[in-house]
Structures are given as C-alpha cells and as structure tokens.
Amino acid sequence: MAASGPVGASPPGRGQRFRAWLLEGLADRAKQHPGPHAQPPAEQGRPWWRVMCLTGLDYFSTLGYQPGIAALAAGLLSPVATVVLVVVTLGGALPVYRRVARESPHGEGSIAMLERLLSFWQGKLFVLALLGFAATDFMITITLSAADATAHLVENPHLHDALTGKQVLITLVLVALLGGVFLKGFSEAIGLAVVLVAVYLALNVVVVVTGFVQVLDSPHVVTDWSDALTAEHGNVVAMVGVALVTFPKLALGLSGFETGVAVMPHIEGDPEDTEEQPTGRIRGARKLLTTAALIMSVFLITTSFITTLLIPKEAFEPGGEANGRALAYLAHEYLGNTFGSIYDLSTIAILWFAGASAMAGMLNLLPRYLPRYGMAPHWAKAVRPMVIVLTLIAFLVTWIFDASVDAQGGAYATGVLVLISSAAIAVTIAARAARQRGWTIGFAIIAGVFLYTTALNIAERPDGVKIGACFIAAIVLVSLLSRLKRAFELRVTDVVFDESAERFVRDYTHRPLRLIANEPNNRDLAEYQEKKRQIRADNDIPAEDDLVFVEVTVKDPSEFEAVLTVHGEVLHERYRVLSLESSSVPNALAALLLTVRDRTGQQPHIYFEWTEGNPFAQFLRFFLFGQGEVAPVTREVLREAEPDRARRPRVHVG
C-alpha cells in the first residue's frame, strides 16, 4: 500500500498510479518476485530432487515435442541418432556441467566462468554475445513451449474442429497469459513443479510401456523397420555415420543443463556450508544433473524407438496428427481419448510452466550482468517493464515463425548448443589452469564435439544464428546507448579509506582540502615539484595553503560500478598523495570529493590542467578508456550527483 501524502495534497492521478505500479521495486530489484531461478535465503534450501523438478520444467517438458522433431530430422534413424545424442549427453554435457557446478556454485553458470577469464571490453562484448544466445535459448523456450502446448490443444479430438487454424492466436494468448502471471507477481513454485513433473513422467511411463507392449504384440514392426534401415543405408557403419551427422538436429534433448546450474542456490546444503565453500550444495547439484540426465536419456531412447516404429511417417509431417506431439498421438491411439486428453492436459501444463521458468531465467540473467556493466536502462531494474518487453519479443518471434514447433526447433537448438559449447570451453580452460592434464584433454575433446555439433546445426538451420544475432545486436545496441546515457552518472558504490588516507582527510575538518589532480608518470621528486609550482601559478594559490595530490590509476575501464579504495602515502618525505584505482578517473575523483565534503563538512577544491586534443576524441577516450578530458567530465559528474550548487565541490582548471 502506498504511503499517504501530506494533508491537502491531491491524490495521485491514474497515470501516476500506473507508473508507480509499473516501476514498483525500481530502487531494489532484489525485492521483486524473483521466480524459480532467483537465489533464496539459505534457510529456504530444498532437497536436490525437488529442485530437479524445477529444472525438469525445461528439461523433461521437451518430451512433448522432441520425439516428433527427431523423427522429422532423422527419419528411420531416429532411435540410432537418439542413442548418439544420449552418449553425447552422458559422456559430454553431464561431465561439463558437473564441473560448472563446482566452479560456479552460486547460479551464475558458465557465462560467469568465462567472464572471469576475460577483461576489458572484449570480455564484456563476449559476455553480451553469450547473453544473446542465452536470450535465444530462453525466449524460444517460451514460444516453442507455447506453440507445442497449442499443438496439443488443437489436435485433441474434442477441440480439433473448434481450434483448427487458430494456432497463432492461441499461442499468443498463452504467451500473454504467461506475461500476465509475471505482471501480477510470480512466486516460487517448486511444490507445483514437483507435482507437474511427477504426473507428467508417470503418464509418459504409461505411454512408453503401452508402446512396447504394442511392439511385442506386433513384432513385424521391428523387422519392417530393420529391413527399411538396411535398404536405405546398407550397413551398420553407414547408419552410425549418418546418425553422427544427423544427431545435431536432435540437440533439443540437451536443453536443461544451463537451467540445472542456474537453480543451484535453491539446493539445500550441509550445515557447515559457507558461501565460499558450499560443498553440500555442489554435491546436491551434481546429483540433480546426473539423475535428470539419466532419466531423460532413458525416455529419449525409449520414446524415439516406439514413435518411429508405431507412427506412420506422414503423421510426423507439418499438419500431421503426430507433428509436435508424437507421444500424445500414441496416448490417444492406444489408450483412448480420455487418457489422451489427460495426457494432453498434463503436457500443456508442463509446457506452459516451462515457459514460466524460461521467463524467470531471463529476468534473473540479464539484471545479473547488464547493470554491473552500466548497460541497462534505468527501468530495467524493475520487473514489470522487462516482462512487457520480453512478452512483446515473444509475440514477434511467434508471429515470425507462425507458431510452428518445427520452425523454431533449429533456433532453440542453436541457443542450447552455443551455451553448452561455451561451458565446455570454460571448463577446459579451468582444468588447464588447475594443471589437470587428463581433464583438460577430455574437456577439450568434448568442446570439439559440441563445436562441431553447433557448426553443423547452424549450417543446416541458420535460423538460430539469425535470431541469436538479432538478440546480440539488440542487447549490445541498447547496452551501449544506456551506458552512453549514463556516462556522467556517479557510479562508485562506496568509498573506503585506509588509515593514512583517513588521517589526511581528518586534518581538514576545519579548513578546505585542496587537491591537485595528477596523472602519475615517474612519480619522482621533479614531477611533484613542477606540478605543484604550475598549479599554484595557474590558480594564484597562496604559498601557505596546503596541497594534496590525488592520483587515479585506471584498471578495467569497461567496468561500471565498483567500490573505491583510497590509499594515503607520503612521497619524497614531503608530498601527501591519495592514490585510487578505478574504471573511470572523473568518477573516482567526484566520489572522493563528495565523500571528503560529507566527512569534513568543508567544501573541497580540486585543480586540473586542460587536456590538449580534440574534445570529441577526448570524450571517446573517457567513454571507452575512463580517461580523456577529465576536468569538465568530473564537474559534470558532480553536477548530476549534487544539484545544489552551494554544496557542490569546487573544480578549478588552469
């Protein structure tokens, strides 16, 4: 409830109330409804198997469309290609993400591992590119899951006539409802995820068992399939070769691993766990990843086998009854429409909720990185504007792909494969840094396999790269524009003085502190003598006034926010110097001046020289490298941070 205004004040208008609702929580992003991927307090940890069901919203729900996509991509070789996929899953993706869980146990995932290895702008741009593919993965999860839920609705015998031809509209409605959930407020729902996953997997067990019973009752389907395989491919070696080329199209079956490490903060750890060493949480995450991969592998192999043998080839084609819903087709065909409708309802529920998990992932992934880079619009810190933007993007993707499950499969697979490839590269580098020769070679081979798979998928279906490129371009463009707009924002989160610096500042509680901005070079006696003489002459500073040097060393100018540490030292037994390290010289100086003012109650002064060179070029130096024309930018940062001119520290340029 909003606080009451002053007596006699007019009540807020409808527009003001809407704005307050839309931007609720703007000052504190963490207090918003965090969704299933957010980090809960430690006491809210859950057993790993319950959290696995949260991951399963993404992972297990792909059974709704994976067998049909596999049949379309590999035809009669679908079971063989699926076995190859399972081998890659258990022998490649699983070891990689078990290592990611150990290296990044707080839910940051493989992107954070690569971020730590790279610095400066190339590191930021690389992370933004990965975020673009992550956005592709999560966004297509929303639209693909909604499209497949629509397919289950439309193909249900009780609803088919009424809903045929309205697939795009239904999918848009489902996406809008998903956005509405988050606009209302999405709370954690692990309990509901457990129920949905348990019911869905139980129903799939019934369908799989029924399918194998049908195969045993009609053994000719196996011999027919075997004969057709031999006639089409000749021998086993040729079959395996074709399957190796085909299996990248089945990469949807690898989804869920990145989500698995994203939900790690939810896992209950040991009582002795610390944030630095969450041993129990890591162990639980590894159990989660292994168990989920084993369950999914069994389902992938069995479902690809029965769907290939029992469903006519033409039924998998676009418009066919099994397109995007192969297991639902079997449920209706062999267990009746009543059971089939129950299966449809369960599938629709888990697919729709998988979209909710993906939306929550986006809402937690982007704010985790972009604000630290200064690359997020101010309103992006609130949940609801981001939900609206993401929902509109989902509308656009649905419209472009005409709500087709098949058309979106390639884009989804590309996003999944790029993230897994980057994770494989990250753990390879981590193993090499740890001097683990065996793991380094193993992970390098796995990375090579996934890079091959990614390249093949991109060559076959470039839609994923196109969508990923659009997301990357949008993220980079919006990010750079946002950073440009926020260029003069005071972005030091705290200022910490060491003992010497604290003593220097304390000396000026009864007189103004006068600082000389000095760019450190040799730091010899002549440098400080000449600088002090020049500043006194340029600004007519009396000889009796003390002067303190302040020097800023730029570390990584691509960083945006940071804590500023101030070190005090006496050089050449006479010159007091305050040394700072920051990503931006003007921001560091402005933060220091404001802190000194607040601590001493005195108005500090700072003295600069004019910088030679083109002003525009100097601004670019500031924007990209944190230096450039320091004096006017420092003054501008101070002006934005302190609107009261009477309280603003004084900037002098000679």
Side-chain angles (χ1 to χ4, degrees), residues 48 52 55 59 89-90 93-94 96-102 256-261 264 267 282-295:
W48 64 266
M52 183 187 70
T55 306
Y59 197 23
T89 299
L90 299 180
L94 181 58
V96 164
Y97 276 94
R98 282 171 61 90
R99 181 64 178 251
V100 171
R102 194 182 85 181
F257 281 100
E258 196 72 28
T259 308
V261 293
M264 278 188 68
I267 298 173
I282 294 172
R283 185 173 60 252
R286 289 181 159 193
K287 290 180 180 178
L288 179 157
L289 293 167
T290 303
T291 305
L294 289 173
I295 292 173

Side-chain angles (χ1 to χ4, degrees), residues 267-282:
I267 298 173
E268 185 178 54
D270 296 334
E272 60 272 16
D273 275 6
T274 64
E275 280 301 298
E276 293 74 23
Q277 292 292 332
T279 305
R281 180 194 296 171
I282 294 172

Side-chain angles (χ1 to χ4, degrees), residues 31-345:
K31 292 183 179 178
Q32 288 304 292
H33 309 287
H37 293 180
Q39 181 173 343
E43 64 270 17
Q44 293 184 6
R46 279 100 168 172
W48 64 266
W49 60 270
R50 291 178 65 87
V51 182
M52 183 187 70
C53 293
L54 184 60
T55 306
L57 293 173
D58 277 346
Y59 197 23
F60 300 140
S61 67
T62 59
L63 287 171
Y65 45 80
Q66 170 73 7
I69 290 178
L72 270 180
L76 294 173
L77 273 175
S78 174
V80 181
T82 301
V83 169
V84 175
L85 176 68
V86 167
V87 171
V88 173
T89 299
L90 299 180
L94 181 58
V96 164
Y97 276 94
R98 282 171 61 90
R99 181 64 178 251
V100 171
R102 194 182 85 181
E103 299 283 345
S104 182
H106 303 296
E108 303 96 332
S110 58
I111 296 178
M113 293 178 62
L114 291 170
E115 183 190 28
R116 291 195 294 266
L117 297 171
L118 299 169
S119 61
F120 202 60
W121 283 105
Q122 65 266 29
K124 302 300 183 292
L125 292 175
F126 182 73
V127 169
L128 290 177
L130 287 181
L131 287 176
F133 283 108
T136 303
D137 183 4
F138 284 117
M139 188 59 63
I140 299 297
T141 296
I142 294 171
T143 57
L144 179 63
S145 298
D148 196 52
T150 299
H152 283 77
L153 275 172
V154 172
E155 293 301 328
N156 185 281
H158 303 297
L159 302 172
H160 181 73
D161 293 337
L163 300 181
T164 299
K166 301 176 181 177
Q167 285 87 338
V168 174
L169 177 61
I170 296 170
T171 305
L172 291 175
V173 169
L174 290 176
V175 172
L177 289 174
L178 178 64
V181 170
F182 282 86
L183 289 177
K184 178 68 176 177
F186 185 85
S187 58
E188 295 175 0
I190 290 183
L192 179 58
V194 171
V195 173
L196 288 174
V197 168
V199 171
Y200 183 66
L201 292 183
L203 292 174
N204 275 289
V205 169
V206 174
V207 174
V208 169
V209 170
T210 301
F212 274 97
V213 169
Q214 294 298 320
V215 171
L216 291 175
D217 288 344
S218 306
H220 66 87
V221 297
V222 178
T223 55
D224 291 345
W225 172 66
S226 177
D227 292 342
L229 268 182
T230 304
E232 187 173 320
H233 299 287
N235 55 59
V236 175
V237 175
M239 294 177 195
V240 173
V242 174
L244 288 172
V245 175
T246 306
F247 97 91
K249 299 177 182 179
L250 281 62
L252 292 177
L254 291 166
S255 69
F257 281 100
E258 196 72 28
T259 308
V261 293
V263 300
M264 278 188 68
H266 285 285
I267 298 173
E268 185 178 54
D270 296 334
E272 60 272 16
D273 275 6
T274 64
E275 280 301 298
E276 293 74 23
Q277 292 292 332
T279 305
R281 180 194 296 171
I282 294 172
R283 185 173 60 252
R286 289 181 159 193
K287 290 180 180 178
L288 179 157
L289 293 167
T290 303
T291 305
L294 289 173
I295 292 173
M296 192 64 174
S297 295
V298 171
F299 274 113
L300 285 173
I301 292 174
T302 54
T303 56
S304 68
F305 182 75
I306 61 174
T307 53
T308 302
L309 267 62
L310 297 176
I311 299 177
K313 179 180 178 181
E314 59 272 11
F316 290 113
E317 299 295 332
E321 294 181 0
N323 182 253
R325 55 187 303 277
L327 294 177
Y329 175 93
L330 293 180
H332 283 277
E333 183 73 17
Y334 296 109
L335 293 166
N337 288 335
T338 300
F339 180 89
S341 295
I342 294 172
Y343 184 87
D344 283 340
L345 182 61

Side-chain angles (χ1 to χ4, degrees), residues 513-532:
L513 172 63
R514 299 184 184 275
L515 294 168
I516 298 176
N518 182 53
E519 183 176 355
N521 294 311
N522 298 325
R523 305 193 85 194
D524 56 15
L525 179 62
E527 177 181 334
Y528 292 103
Q529 286 177 331
E530 175 58 24
K531 188 74 172 183
K532 191 172 184 178

Side-chain angles (χ1 to χ4, degrees), residues 384-610:
R384 291 186 177 111
M386 285 293 291
V387 169
I388 292 173
V389 171
L390 294 175
T391 302
L392 291 175
I393 294 173
F395 283 171
L396 179 62
V397 173
T398 298
W399 175 71
I400 290 173
F401 285 102
D402 200 30
S404 168
V405 175
D406 301 329
Q408 296 178 74
Y412 186 26
T414 300
V416 171
L417 287 171
V418 168
L419 291 180
I420 294 180
S421 298
S422 66
I425 293 171
V427 298
T428 302
I429 297 172
R432 186 173 184 273
R435 300 183 183 279
Q436 298 171 328
R437 179 179 174 82
W439 281 113
T440 302
I441 295 173
F443 285 136
I445 294 172
I446 294 171
V449 170
F450 282 119
L451 288 172
Y452 154 78
T453 307
T454 305
L456 210 61
N457 183 272
I458 291 172
E460 287 284 331
R461 306 183 71 174
D463 291 339
V465 172
K466 293 176 183 177
I467 291 182
C470 291
F471 277 114
I472 292 169
I475 288 175
V476 171
L477 179 62
V478 172
S479 298
L480 292 177
L481 290 176
S482 173
R483 180 143 182 165
L484 184 62
K485 183 179 179 182
R486 300 175 65 188
F488 302 118
E489 180 180 312
L490 185 66
R491 53 191 197 235
V492 173
T493 56
D494 193 17
V495 180
V496 179
F497 292 82
D498 69 6
E499 185 178 347
S500 297
E502 189 77 49
R503 187 170 61 252
F504 290 174
V505 172
R506 252 196 331 264
D507 289 344
Y508 291 90
T509 53
H510 301 293
R511 52 184 173 143
L513 172 63
R514 299 184 184 275
L515 294 168
I516 298 176
N518 182 53
E519 183 176 355
N521 294 311
N522 298 325
R523 305 193 85 194
D524 56 15
L525 179 62
E527 177 181 334
Y528 292 103
Q529 286 177 331
E530 175 58 24
K531 188 74 172 183
K532 191 172 184 178
R533 183 201 64 76
Q534 182 180 342
I535 290 296
R536 285 194 186 277
D538 289 345
N539 297 276
D540 295 325
I541 300 175
E544 62 271 14
D545 286 0
D546 289 339
L547 293 171
V548 177
F549 289 89
V550 58
E551 299 174 344
V552 182
T553 301
V554 175
K555 298 186 296 182
D556 184 353
S558 62
E559 292 292 340
F560 191 74
E561 293 181 341
V563 174
L564 184 66
T565 302
V566 185
H567 301 282
E569 54 186 329
V570 178
L571 296 182
H572 310 295
E573 299 181 353
R574 68 176 74 178
Y575 297 115
R576 285 180 292 183
V577 181
L578 295 175
S579 300
L580 302 81
E581 286 188 347
S582 175
S583 60
S584 168
V585 175
N587 262 275
L589 294 176
L592 174 65
L593 291 167
L594 291 169
T595 305
V596 168
R597 179 203 65 184
D598 295 339
R599 288 196 176 201
T600 65
Q602 299 289 328
Q603 206 79 330
H605 296 250
I606 189 166
Y607 298 88
F608 295 92
E609 293 180 55
W610 285 114

